[in-house]
Amino acid sequence: MTEPKLDFSGRTALVTGAGSGIGAAVARWLDAHGIAALHLVDINAHGIEALALTCEVHAHVHDVSDPQFWGGFERAAGKLDHAVVNAGIGSGGQIAEQSFKDWRRVMAVNLDGAFLTLAAAIRLMRANGRGSAVVTSSITAVKPVAGIGAYGVAKAGVAHMARIAAAENAALGIRVNAVAPGGVDTAIWDAGEAFREAVAAHGREAAIAGMGASHPRGRFATADEIACDIGYLLSDMAANVTGVVLNTDGGYSL
């Protein structure tokens, strides 16, 4: 029997939030492992263009929370083998102090957008007769962290959505898993006021290092490290893995 490999030759994948951070790292990882075509979704056109991938690329500069986009995507996409449901935005503030406007802004992208993405991807993979998807959750979905408000709630929602989708589609040959990263060095931190103050005082590299020092591993993960975890879960090497939320947090949740 042929042993499964990290080989994506001839396959097509969808990656949201592909213009930076984990999404961009996943796009590069899939390209390096032979993917034939990528559908990359982000509101940042320049980020997608900067990837300079060797595979066939279909760039979609859209908001993942727009249901009209996903209707058009389904009609035009054709074959789909894999999906990485990754697009998200950051948010801070305690529950009692967060405005409903900010709550809905985060839920629209991080939860509603993830639902629209995963639902469309599963329908396309059902037509294909097989497939795998990975949803980007967060360790804040597992370990309560004060001050992350809507973000942690949305990420808990997408983790459970992945489990439900896994149960609904296992018999159809479609696997759905999630990853729950801890701190990762991506641009999502750049919008935070406290982080901007630390960057102004010490520089970005020192600010990230200072935040990562409190983790058992002693540093934040890189986006490329998380991409490796996602790539494994997408691959045939994880053929018996579905409905799992993989904590990839450097020991933060211990």
Side-chain angles (χ1 to χ4, degrees):
M1 187 174 81
T2 303
E3 188 173 335
K5 297 180 180 179
L6 295 174
D7 183 5
F8 291 80
S9 299
R11 300 186 187 183
T12 299
L14 162 70
V15 182
T16 65
S20 64
I22 293 172
V26 170
R28 291 192 299 265
W29 190 95
L30 287 168
D31 188 47
H33 287 81
I35 199 79
L38 285 172
H39 289 278
L40 303 180
V41 183
D42 203 295
I43 58 172
N44 178 8
H46 297 300
I48 295 176
E49 292 169 2
L51 289 171
L53 305 175
T54 61
C55 66
E56 178 182 333
V57 173
H58 303 272
H60 307 272
V61 183
H62 286 279
D63 181 345
V64 294
S65 66
D66 179 4
Q68 289 189 332
F69 162 67
W70 289 110
F73 176 82
E74 274 191 78
R75 290 189 293 272
K79 175 188 173 185
L80 188 68
D81 300 288
H82 307 286
V84 180
V85 184
N86 171 74
I89 57 176
S91 174
Q94 296 188 6
I95 295 292
E97 299 167 358
Q98 190 161 33
S99 70
F100 184 66
K101 181 179 180 181
D102 187 48
W103 174 274
R104 279 306 319 151
R105 178 182 68 89
V106 175
M107 290 295 169
V109 177
N110 293 10
L111 185 56
D112 300 347
F115 159 72
L116 291 167
T117 305
L118 185 60
I122 287 174
R123 287 190 290 267
L124 287 167
M125 288 189 284
R126 283 179 174 178
N128 192 34
R130 58 162 289 170
S132 64
V134 176
V135 178
T136 302
S137 179
S138 167
I139 203 61
T140 62
V142 179
K143 178 178 180 176
V145 176
I148 48 82
Y151 181 84
V153 175
K155 290 301 186 178
V158 300
H160 199 54
M161 180 176 68
R163 295 188 192 100
I164 293 170
E168 292 173 342
N169 291 281
L172 301 176
I174 298 169
R175 298 183 299 105
V176 184
N177 293 289
V179 292
V184 185
D185 182 3
T186 71
I188 200 168
W189 298 103
D190 296 344
E193 183 178 349
F195 184 74
R196 290 200 302 268
E197 290 174 356
V199 170
H202 308 291
R204 192 179 188 283
E205 186 174 338
I208 284 288
M211 295 170 66
S214 63
H215 284 50
R217 193 182 180 197
R219 67 171 178 85
F220 275 3
T222 67
D224 289 332
E225 288 172 330
I226 306 303
C228 291
D229 297 327
I230 292 172
Y232 163 72
L233 290 173
L234 288 175
S235 78
D236 293 345
M237 292 188 74
N240 197 44
V241 182
T242 195
V244 165
V245 179
L246 174 64
N247 290 356
T248 171
D249 66 350
Y252 178 71
S253 57
L254 294 174

